[in-house]
Amino acid sequence: MKITRYTYPLTQNFGRSLSPFFAHRLAGDFENQIEQLLDSVFDFNSGIGPFNTDGLFPLDIYEDEGNTYVRAELPGVDRKDIAVEVVDGNLEISATRNTGSGDNAEKISFKRVVSLPENTQTDKINASAENGVLTITLPKEEAAKPRKFTVSIN
Amino acid sequence: MTLLNSILPFTKRPQSPAVREAGPETTVRPHYTAAPADDASAWTLTVSLPGVAKEGLSITDEAGVLTIRGERSWKRPEDWTTLHRESADAPFLLALRHDGEIDVEKIKAGFADGILTATLPKAEALKPRKIAIN
C-alpha cells in the first residue's frame, strides 16, 4: 500500500468555510452520487460477477473527537494495489483488483474521491487494511478539537 | 388509524426498519461467483465477504443446502459518530442448494482479505468419465 501526499499550498481551499454539511461533500462529488443512485435503482451490474464492477465500492465515514475515519470495503484487493492520495484537498482512494490467472486474468480498477474536512492534518493521514476493509484515519487539526474553557465568574 | 387501515388497506405504510428488524434476522446476500474449475471435476465458488474475520465465518451443509455465514468482526466504537454509511452491519448469509451434486466431505476452502474461495468437488456420479470401447 502506498500513501502519497501532494501539497499545493496556493490552491488549498481558502474559499471553503467549515460547513456543518461537510459530510455531504465528503460523500463524493455530485455526479458520483447520481451515478450511484441510478445504479442502485437499475442495478446495471447484477449478474456480471461477484463484485461491483462500476468502479465504486462502499464507503463509510465516521468521526470522533480527534479524527475522521473513512472505511472502504475492498475485498480481495492486495495492499500493494491500494493507493491513497491527498490531492488538492481531496482524498483519492484507488484500487486495482486482479482476478483470474493466465488467459482469464482481469484487472478491475476502482476509484473514489472524498472531500477532506478542512481541518485535516494531511501529513498525518494513516491507513490500514484488515479483512478486505481499508480504514483511513484523518487526524483533525488541534484547533478544531473541541476545547473546554472554564470562565470564572467574580 | 387502525380502523382506516382496515377499510382502506392500501393506506397502510410499509413497516419501518425498526419494526422489520424486530422480526426475522436481517442478513445480506454477498456477491459471489460459481464457475466450473479447469478440469470440470469441481466448481469454484468465490464469495466476497468484506469485514468478516476467519473466526466469524462458518460453512455448513444441511439437507442439500450449503450455507455460508459471515459475521462482521468490526463494530463501531461508541465514541464514533456516523457521518455517512454505504455498507451494512448485518451478517452475510449465502445459501446454495446443491441437492447432493457436490461431494461435501471434500470441500476445500481458503479465506483471505475478505474473499472466500472454495473448491466444491462434483459428486462421483456427476464427474465426466470416459468409457472405454472394447
Side-chain angles (χ1 to χ4, degrees):
Chain A
M1 189 189 313
K2 99 185 142 109
I3 300 184
T4 321
R5 300 180 186 93
Y6 301 106
T7 357
Y8 302 141
L10 288 174
T11 54
Q12 269 174 0
N13 309 311
F14 287 123
R16 294 189 186 171
S17 59
L18 183 67
S19 119
F21 301 110
F22 83 80
H24 296 279
R25 303 207 323 251
L26 273 170
D29 57 283
F30 183 64
E31 271 176 36
N32 263 349
Q33 291 189 8
I34 293 292
E35 254 170 52
Q36 256 175 288
L37 184 71
L38 286 174
D39 278 1
S40 67
V41 173
F42 295 110
D43 204 9
F44 291 122
N45 297 295
S46 62
I48 289 177
F51 316 111
N52 296 318
T53 48
D54 53 8
L56 294 175
F57 45 85
L59 265 188
D60 296 341
I61 301 166
Y62 302 94
E63 72 169 349
D64 68 4
E65 244 173 65
N67 301 295
T68 308
Y69 304 92
V70 176
R71 283 174 58 86
E73 288 191 351
L74 290 164
V77 179
D78 251 358
R79 279 164 194 239
K80 64 172 169 51
D81 296 329
I82 303 175
V84 178
E85 301 182 327
V86 177
V87 183
D88 200 13
N90 290 321
L91 182 74
E92 301 190 355
I93 308 164
S94 347
T96 309
R97 181 185 286 125
N98 299 300
T99 53
S101 54
D103 294 340
N104 298 323
E106 210 183 333
K107 256 191 176 179
I108 306 165
S109 292
F110 309 90
K111 186 173 179 180
R112 288 202 65 176
V113 180
V114 169
S115 291
L116 283 175
E118 188 131 308
N119 54 9
T120 307
Q121 299 187 55
T122 44
D123 53 334
K124 287 184 185 157
I125 294 175
N126 211 317
S128 65
E130 194 193 16
N131 296 323
V133 179
L134 174 75
T135 305
I136 305 168
T137 309
L138 311 157
K140 291 180 191 173
E141 220 57 86
E142 283 296 324
K145 289 181 187 169
R147 268 193 217 156
K148 244 185 208 170
F149 288 105
T150 315
V151 179
S152 61
I153 302 163
N154 295 319
Chain B
M1 195 62 204
T2 329
L3 181 68
L4 188 64
N5 277 342
S6 62
I7 301 166
L8 299 167
F10 56 86
T11 62
K12 205 172 174 181
R13 289 187 183 182
Q15 280 184 331
S16 74
V19 174
R20 256 180 278 140
E21 270 160 36
E25 193 199 15
T26 320
T27 53
V28 176
R29 191 174 164 90
H31 288 286
Y32 74 98
T33 45
D38 297 336
D39 58 354
S41 66
W43 283 283
T44 306
L45 176 70
T46 315
V47 191
S48 152
L49 301 163
V52 173
K54 205 178 168 185
E55 298 74 46
L57 180 67
S58 74
I59 306 174
T60 49
D61 182 83
E62 202 188 334
V65 178
L66 188 72
T67 306
I68 294 155
R69 190 188 162 88
E71 305 284 345
R72 298 187 198 242
S73 63
W74 188 82
K75 291 231 160 45
R76 179 176 64 92
E78 276 192 9
D79 55 337
W80 287 26
T81 324
T82 307
L83 299 178
H84 178 77
R85 278 305 297 272
E86 288 169 10
S87 71
D89 288 326
F92 289 107
L93 185 74
L94 178 67
L96 299 171
R97 175 169 291 278
H98 59 80
D99 288 329
E101 286 180 26
I102 58 172
D103 194 342
V104 179
E105 298 296 316
K106 288 182 190 154
I107 293 179
K108 276 189 201 133
F111 186 60
D113 286 337
I115 296 274
L116 171 77
T117 313
T119 309
L120 316 174
K122 289 185 186 176
E124 284 299 325
L126 286 167
K127 280 187 188 167
R129 69 181 63 149
K130 203 171 179 185
I131 291 149
I133 299 158
N134 294 322

